[in-house]
């Protein structure tokens, strides 16, 4: 079994970005990310810690705004508008999905496309749909960066994506189609989802359910990419795949932590730095 670690992928991206950051600062531009978080979900907090560590290593500022889980829609939108209109901010990350009954509709419609670090804006998503964009929502782009780094061939391969969110499931499916894979997207209404996974050459697990992908979903020869970031019953960070059991069967698998998540923070950094460059 090959362990597809994300650290070496992320480190390569970050080292290249550090040079850009120094160049920007020499011109009086200090790249800055603004994070807007509602509540304190464990997976959000885990990702936030990773972002803070990654950005600090590159010398890029991060400002976190945390609102209570019972915040009103009006207050949420007002807070977002203040961040969106701040000229010192080059990138915005909103943790989604938002707690019910809050909506991200106002944010998606009004976000400055030049600060949209995770493709909330439908106009940015259109570029992903067209297959003409080099960038995509951070986690989806991170999956493709891992695939490229490890030389995983997607041409003509059957890929099963477990999850259909706008944050990861749908965009990563689009990117994989652009990379000439044959993609099946599974979700809660999919019948015989275990067999759909077993039919695949590559599985991308992004359903947000801790250890959902068990040995019953896999077979020898497969590559499993685990995008999940959950907390198990023991309070430990884990993915959507039962790593210990599944890794004994498949040919290659990403760990959690230490897999796609570490690349995602590097991609987020890239988006913010690139946004800062475009503003010069």
């Amino acid at each position: 079994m090959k362990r597809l670690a994300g650290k070496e992928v992320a480190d390569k991206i970050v080292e290249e970005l550090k040079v850009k950051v120094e160049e920007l600062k020499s011109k009086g531009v200090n790249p800055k990310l603004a994070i807007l978080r509602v509540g304190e979900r464990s997976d959000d907090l885990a990702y936030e810690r990773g972002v803070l560590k990654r950005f600090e290593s590159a010398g890029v500022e991060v400002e976190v705004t945390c609102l209570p889980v019972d915040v009103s829609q009006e207050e949420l939108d007002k807070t977002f508008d203040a961040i969106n209109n701040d000229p010192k901010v080059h990138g915005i990350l909103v943790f989604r999905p938002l707690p019910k009954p809050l909506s991200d509709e106002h944010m998606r419609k009004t976000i400055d496309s030049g600060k949209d670090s995770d493709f909330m804006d439908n106009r940015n998503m259109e570029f992903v749909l067209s297959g003409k964009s080099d960038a995509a929502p951070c986690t989806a782009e991170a999956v493709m960066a891992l695939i490229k780094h490890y030389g995983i061939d997607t041409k003509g391969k059957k890929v099963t994506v477990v999850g259909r969110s706008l944050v990861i499931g749908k965009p990563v499916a689009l990117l994989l189609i652009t990379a000439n894979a044959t993609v099946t997207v599974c979700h809660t209404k999919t019948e015989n989802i275990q067999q759909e996974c077993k039919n695949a050459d590559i599985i991308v697990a992004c359903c947000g359910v801790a250890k959902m992908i068990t040995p019953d979903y896999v077979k020898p020869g497969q590559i499993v990419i685990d995008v999940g970031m959950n907390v198990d019953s023991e309070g430990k960070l884990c993915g959507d795949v039962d790593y210990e059991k599944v890794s004994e069967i498949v040919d290659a698998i990403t760990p959690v932590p230490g897999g796609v998540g570490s690349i995602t923070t590097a991609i987020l950094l890239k988006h913010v730095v690139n946004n800062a460059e475009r503003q010069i």
Side-chain angles (χ1 to χ4, degrees):
M1 183 276 298
K2 183 173 183 179
R3 188 174 184 268
L4 303 174
K7 185 178 185 301
E8 59 186 84
V9 189
D11 287 348
K12 183 178 179 181
I13 295 170
V14 173
E15 286 306 311
E16 294 173 355
L17 291 172
K18 284 180 179 179
V19 177
K20 288 188 176 183
V21 171
E22 289 304 314
E23 291 176 352
L24 286 167
K25 289 186 175 182
S26 71
K27 297 175 182 179
V29 178
N30 294 300
K32 179 179 178 180
L33 170 69
I35 292 177
L36 178 57
R37 172 168 49 82
V38 179
E40 297 187 351
R41 280 179 37 162
S42 56
D43 54 344
D44 287 349
L45 292 171
Y47 182 42
E48 185 179 294
R49 286 192 296 270
V51 170
L52 292 170
K53 183 178 179 180
R54 178 75 67 201
F55 276 60
E56 181 182 5
S57 71
V60 176
E61 181 182 357
V62 180
E63 182 177 71
V64 179
T65 300
C66 180
L67 298 174
V69 71
D70 59 352
V71 67
S72 67
Q73 186 71 55
E74 181 181 6
E75 184 61 27
L76 172 62
D77 293 344
K78 181 180 177 181
T79 303
F80 174 80
D81 288 342
I83 295 171
N84 197 33
N85 295 324
D86 185 346
K88 294 181 180 180
V89 170
H90 301 97
I92 298 172
L93 173 65
V94 179
F95 281 112
R96 297 177 293 163
L98 295 166
K100 294 181 180 180
L102 295 173
S103 169
D104 64 0
E105 183 177 5
H106 170 75
M107 293 182 277
R108 288 189 290 105
K109 288 182 176 180
T110 62
I111 190 169
D112 183 335
S113 59
K115 299 179 180 181
D116 185 12
S117 298
D118 204 23
F119 285 57
M120 290 183 66
D121 185 349
N122 290 335
R123 291 169 295 179
N124 282 336
M125 282 300 295
E126 286 175 6
F127 288 112
V128 180
L129 180 61
S130 70
K132 297 177 181 178
S133 177
D134 292 330
C138 295
T139 307
E141 190 176 337
V143 169
M144 300 310 294
L146 180 135
I147 286 173
K148 181 180 179 180
H149 178 84
Y150 284 104
I152 298 170
D153 184 17
T154 56
K155 184 178 180 180
K157 301 297 183 182
K158 294 179 181 179
V159 182
T160 295
V161 177
V162 185
R164 57 176 171 177
S165 73
L166 281 173
V167 179
I168 171 62
K170 290 178 180 177
V172 81
L174 290 171
L175 293 177
L176 287 162
I177 290 170
T178 301
N180 298 314
T182 300
V183 181
T184 298
V185 179
C186 296
H187 44 78
T188 54
K189 305 301 181 183
T190 301
E191 294 182 1
N192 201 4
I193 189 171
Q194 292 182 1
Q195 191 58 48
E196 292 292 348
C197 288
K198 280 191 173 182
N199 289 339
D201 300 303
I202 302 169
I203 298 172
V204 180
C206 52
C207 53
V209 180
K211 300 182 180 180
M212 173 182 164
I213 307 300
T214 63
D216 294 333
Y217 288 71
V218 301
K219 65 182 180 182
Q222 288 179 314
I223 296 171
V224 177
I225 300 174
D226 189 355
V227 179
M229 189 173 291
N230 313 288
V231 177
D232 63 17
S233 58
E234 298 177 357
K236 295 180 180 178
L237 193 64
C238 69
D240 293 348
V241 179
D242 189 334
Y243 180 86
E244 290 186 5
K245 295 179 181 178
V246 170
S247 62
E248 295 178 353
I249 301 170
V250 300
D251 275 13
I253 186 171
T254 60
V256 176
V260 175
S262 57
I263 307 172
T264 301
T265 57
I267 297 295
L268 177 62
L269 176 63
K270 184 179 82 168
H271 288 179
V272 173
V273 173
N274 287 349
N275 289 347
E277 279 190 318
R278 282 192 289 267
Q279 288 188 21
I280 297 178

